Amino acid sequence: MASSINSLEAIQKKIDAVKLFLSVSLSIANAHTVDFYTCDVWDQFMAVPPVEVLTEITLNGDHKRAPEHYLNHGSGTTKKITFGFCDDSKRLVDVAELLEAAYAHSLPGLGVCVGRTELLQSLRHTDNAQPLEEVPAAVVESDEFMNSKKSHEVQAMSEVVASLAQRCRVKQVIDVGSGKGYLCSFLSLQYGLQVYGIDSSSVNTHGAQERNRKLKKYSRAYQRHSKANRTPTVMPPSGQEDLEDIAPGERARGDMVKTSGDAEKEEGKGRRDGEAQTNTTGLTDRNEEDAMTSLTSAILLEDNSLPESDQSDPASAPEDPFLSALCVGMVEPTSPRVPPSELSLEERERRKSENLERKARSWVNSGGMGSGMLYSPLTSYVTAETELKEIIGELEDAVMVGLHTCGDLAPSTLRMFVAKRELLSVCSVGCCYHLLSEEFDPTRQECPSSSVCGFPLSGYLREQSWFCGRNARMSACLALERVAKGQGIQMESLFYRAVLHVILRDHYSSFKSEKRVGNVYSKATSFVDYVWRALRRLELDESKLSDSVIQGYHDTYRPRMVEMEAFNMLKVTLAPCIEGLILLDRLCYLKEQEDVAFSTLVQLFDPLLSPRCYGVVGVKVPGTE
């Protein structure tokens, strides 16, 4: 029996609430940071001083008014204020009310997500579920392999995917946008699943094939020991709990998977995990923070040089039994204590040999990798219309997954799940919302009439012709939790770019160049140097300016830098609401399908480690044709 709190009607009501809020506040998210001074953005949208905005954000962190307060209205009609904005001037007059409304219309504030542990318990306690064998592996020092972010994501998502396979009684998984194959390898080695990783990049699939070859080489040598030592893990007895009766409550906010292992082992591992974290080098911490800062700055500048996803954290990983099965060269390198370029050829060969021998010994001691079943990496560009049988000759009933699938690939994954009879369940985590195409883009530049667009996906939002805008979708990529912890916005680079735009307006008739300034800031020693580098990049006449004129622009606008800081903090505050609407649209799409028995949003990851932390999960009615 479906729970009314998670029904189609309930989700549509949540969508209406978020739409109402964004209809008032979305203009802030759609404002160009580059145009901040040329278009007087602060005066256009704000009726309060910037210091008040920053103070309210810093000191008034718990903006948690009950969501019901906002479901049927803006705010008080006597004040003519809606969500903190004056109805007449459309400018912000009440910062506290805006912050409260922003939290109330985020996914945590709406209470629409389930926790990962809740979902796992329900998937494992159904009549249809059957136990999956999990192959034990030895514990090694995992900082040689994955960074902490990737390890956290792979462990958390693989357990959910394996539980979906268990519930649907399937052994096949299709990973769309599989990249370097980390999730595929884990699912195959840890849970004995047959995994097909599909990626459009031949570089990724060729690399995956090489890892596959290495794994096969070492698995064959120790398979005899694996069969002798392996002990199957049996799942708990099946129960009678209905999946739709999961109540998405406040537990979802605090129910983030721990990077060190299962919840039952958390207390015993706490001391060891703390020691591992202490051993992380200061250089690694700085690299991780710098990577996030660059990402956030690129988002706020609406720069097309933005990385494909926020997966560049180079921090070392926590302990992970699965990593003992990985060979040298199987994962992207983290920041080493001694750069490989400084090692002699003999030293590199010695270390490689020692690593292989240690992993081989670990395999023998732990029981190896069971049947040795490995995944098959495939190169193909897939859309909702792709015939999977043409790519996978041995296609059976399967689970479809996508870990941080970029742009339109995430909604295409859901469309494939709905359209293909063989796909019995789906777990999709999207990213890169700025790459989504919008059906109701007024310019029709992002989504031609002949194309299938990524947003909106649900019939409900399509009937209303809802449109976000590219800058708003860029803002949705911002990481509120990280910025709140002091990681993220590199304000000086944003300031430099906005003042450069003023110079281009004042001294160059055509400042909307097709060329992009790019990452000039990281190489510049001062604002003057930054401008000269930018002019050369844009191929503009440098004789029109001098050092003193350039410095004069800097000195004029430097006192107004606080305006930009406050405005961008408001953009960050609105990010979860825009992301929430995109994800609610995807959930609504699944709930509109008659053959989808269960669908939900689940918080899979710790947002500090992995900002794109929400997954869309769906399971079809058993026996659907």
Side-chain angles (χ1 to χ4, degrees):
M1 180 177 178
S3 172
S4 60
I5 198 171
N6 207 19
S7 65
L8 173 60
E9 293 74 18
I11 297 303
Q12 289 174 342
K13 188 176 181 181
K14 303 287 188 184
I15 289 176
D16 289 340
V18 179
K19 278 179 49 199
L20 178 61
F21 173 65
L22 290 179
S23 67
V24 176
S25 60
L26 197 62
S27 56
I28 290 179
N30 268 320
H32 287 267
T33 301
V34 170
D35 295 330
F36 192 79
Y37 298 121
T38 57
C39 295
D40 292 323
V41 169
W42 183 264
D43 289 337
Q44 182 180 349
F45 294 105
M46 301 291 149
V48 293
V51 174
E52 180 179 333
V53 174
L54 294 174
T55 301
E56 194 67 42
I57 291 174
T58 302
L59 300 180
N60 193 14
D62 292 326
H63 307 290
K64 299 179 181 178
R65 184 174 294 180
E68 292 77 10
H69 175 80
Y70 298 100
L71 288 180
N72 299 314
H73 80 316
S75 188
T77 56
T78 55
K79 295 181 180 180
K80 293 186 177 180
I81 296 174
T82 305
F83 304 127
F85 290 85
C86 175
D87 290 351
D88 296 329
S89 68
K90 310 300 181 186
R91 300 170 75 199
L92 180 65
V93 295
D94 190 331
V95 181
E97 183 160 351
L98 173 64
L99 298 180
E100 289 176 353
Y103 175 79
H105 295 93
S106 66
L107 292 180
L110 292 168
V112 73
C113 290
V114 301
R116 175 178 167 276
T117 301
E118 290 178 275
L119 178 65
L120 288 172
Q121 289 174 347
S122 294
L123 289 173
R124 290 168 176 171
H125 290 80
T126 58
D127 292 334
N128 198 46
Q130 65 178 3
L132 271 182
E133 179 180 297
E134 180 176 334
V135 181
V139 176
V140 296
E141 295 181 6
S142 57
D143 59 356
E144 299 176 37
F145 304 101
M146 294 187 204
N147 60 47
S148 60
K149 178 178 182 294
K150 179 58 66 178
S151 176
H152 173 67
E153 293 164 353
V154 166
Q155 290 181 76
M157 188 163 179
S158 63
E159 191 172 6
V160 170
V161 174
S163 295
L164 287 169
Q166 168 190 338
R167 184 189 188 279
C168 297
R169 296 179 176 270
V170 301
K171 296 287 288 183
Q172 199 169 93
V173 175
I174 301 172
D175 184 0
V176 179
S178 56
K180 297 182 180 180
Y182 302 133
L183 178 64
C184 296
S185 296
F186 199 108
L187 287 168
S188 178
L189 293 169
Q190 193 80 351
Y191 295 99
L193 293 167
Q194 182 183 12
V195 187
Y196 292 93
I198 305 175
D199 197 273
S200 62
S201 169
S202 59
V203 174
N204 283 338
T205 50
H206 288 164
Q209 287 170 348
E210 177 62 16
R211 299 181 196 102
N212 202 9
R213 182 190 65 80
K214 291 180 180 180
L215 284 171
K216 284 182 178 179
K217 174 181 177 182
Y218 290 98
S219 67
R220 281 195 295 265
Y222 298 99
Q223 193 169 9
R224 180 178 68 254
H225 301 279
S226 301
K227 292 179 179 178
N229 297 331
R230 188 172 71 246
T231 302
T233 299
V234 180
M235 294 294 184
S238 297
Q240 303 297 322
E241 184 176 356
D242 193 307
L243 286 172
E244 285 285 3
D245 287 333
I246 304 174
E250 294 183 358
R251 280 189 292 169
R253 280 178 61 80
D255 191 28
M256 299 168 295
V257 62
K258 305 299 181 182
T259 59
S260 57
D262 295 335
E264 293 82 358
K265 302 177 183 178
E266 181 178 324
E267 183 176 355
K269 287 189 176 182
R271 184 179 300 106
R272 182 176 58 192
D273 291 343
E275 292 171 355
Q277 183 65 34
T278 303
N279 290 335
T280 303
T281 65
L283 176 61
T284 296
D285 293 337
R286 287 195 299 274
N287 287 343
E288 180 172 2
E289 184 171 345
D290 290 346
M292 187 58 211
T293 298
S294 299
L295 172 70
T296 304
S297 299
I299 291 171
L300 291 170
L301 284 171
E302 296 89 36
D303 192 342
N304 280 344
S305 63
L306 178 72
E308 204 169 83
S309 61
D310 49 14
Q311 301 180 38
S312 56
D313 299 8
S316 57
E319 292 189 341
D320 175 8
F322 163 72
L323 296 177
S324 62
L326 301 182
C327 300
V328 172
M330 186 165 180
V331 295
E332 58 192 356
T334 59
S335 300
R337 292 182 176 84
V338 179
S341 59
E342 297 181 10
L343 297 175
S344 65
L345 179 61
E346 292 78 7
E347 176 65 13
R348 277 181 280 179
E349 288 298 322
R350 184 187 68 80
R351 292 191 179 191
K352 179 177 179 180
S353 176
E354 288 181 354
N355 284 337
L356 294 176
E357 290 176 3
R358 182 174 66 253
K359 293 171 185 58
R361 287 195 300 269
S362 297
W363 250 344
V364 172
N365 295 333
S366 66
M369 55 180 290
S371 63
M373 188 181 295
L374 299 172
Y375 83 96
S376 302
L378 306 169
T379 302
S380 179
Y381 181 83
V382 295
T383 66
E385 291 75 34
T386 299
E387 285 297 333
L388 294 175
K389 288 184 178 179
E390 296 179 359
I391 304 174
I392 304 171
E394 304 81 12
L395 182 64
E396 302 171 358
D397 288 347
V399 177
M400 173 159 279
V401 303
L403 174 54
H404 289 148
T405 47
C406 289
D408 286 348
L409 185 55
S412 290
T413 299
L414 299 179
R415 285 192 173 106
M416 278 190 280
F417 163 67
V418 169
K420 311 302 180 186
R421 178 183 59 82
E422 299 86 357
L423 302 178
L424 302 188
S425 62
V426 66
C427 182
S428 171
V429 181
C431 68
C432 303
Y433 302 126
H434 62 293
L435 298 178
L436 274 174
S437 60
E438 292 201 60
E439 181 176 357
F440 301 103
D441 172 15
T443 66
R444 303 300 298 177
Q445 293 180 351
E446 295 184 342
C447 187
S449 57
S450 59
S451 301
V452 177
C453 300
F455 181 84
L457 184 62
S458 68
Y460 188 68
L461 268 183
R462 292 184 68 200
E463 289 173 358
Q464 302 172 56
S465 303
W466 182 262
F467 173 70
C468 280
R470 186 176 188 276
N471 290 333
R473 288 183 280 107
M474 290 283 289
S475 297
C477 298
L478 294 167
L480 174 61
E481 291 81 5
R482 284 185 168 183
V483 174
K485 293 292 185 180
Q487 306 174 34
I489 301 180
Q490 194 174 56
M491 197 54 59
E492 188 176 64
S493 67
L494 304 179
F495 172 72
Y496 278 16
R497 183 63 184 87
V499 178
L500 171 66
H501 213 56
V502 177
I503 294 175
L504 296 177
R505 178 198 64 184
D506 292 351
H507 295 273
Y508 299 90
S509 58
S510 178
F511 63 91
K512 289 287 185 181
S513 172
E514 293 182 358
K515 296 180 179 294
R516 292 189 172 272
V517 174
N519 190 23
V520 172
Y521 174 80
S522 64
K523 304 172 184 177
T525 58
S526 65
F527 179 71
V528 173
D529 185 38
Y530 172 87
V531 172
W532 289 129
R533 289 175 179 270
L535 293 178
R536 287 192 290 272
R537 176 71 64 87
L538 298 173
E539 299 180 354
L540 296 175
D541 184 5
E542 300 176 39
S543 65
K544 293 184 177 183
L545 297 173
S546 65
D547 287 356
S548 60
V549 170
I550 295 173
Q551 187 62 41
Y553 276 95
H554 176 276
D555 297 343
T556 298
Y557 285 94
R558 184 62 180 81
R560 295 182 58 188
M561 186 174 172
V562 67
E563 296 176 359
M564 177 175 285
E565 181 181 0
F567 193 83
N568 284 324
M569 286 303 296
L570 290 178
K571 274 194 169 189
V572 172
T573 301
L574 294 175
C577 307
I578 304 166
E579 178 182 34
L581 181 65
I582 293 171
L583 296 179
L584 285 171
D585 171 59
R586 295 174 184 178
L587 177 61
C588 185
Y589 170 75
L590 291 186
K591 291 192 175 296
E592 291 171 344
Q593 313 305 318
E594 293 182 358
D595 61 345
V596 176
F598 167 73
S599 56
T600 191
L601 289 176
V602 56
Q603 182 173 334
L604 290 171
F605 313 134
D606 180 342
L608 282 174
L609 280 175
S610 182
R612 305 282 75 78
C613 61
Y614 296 106
V616 182
V617 173
V619 179
K620 285 181 180 174
V621 176
T624 300
E625 292 296 330

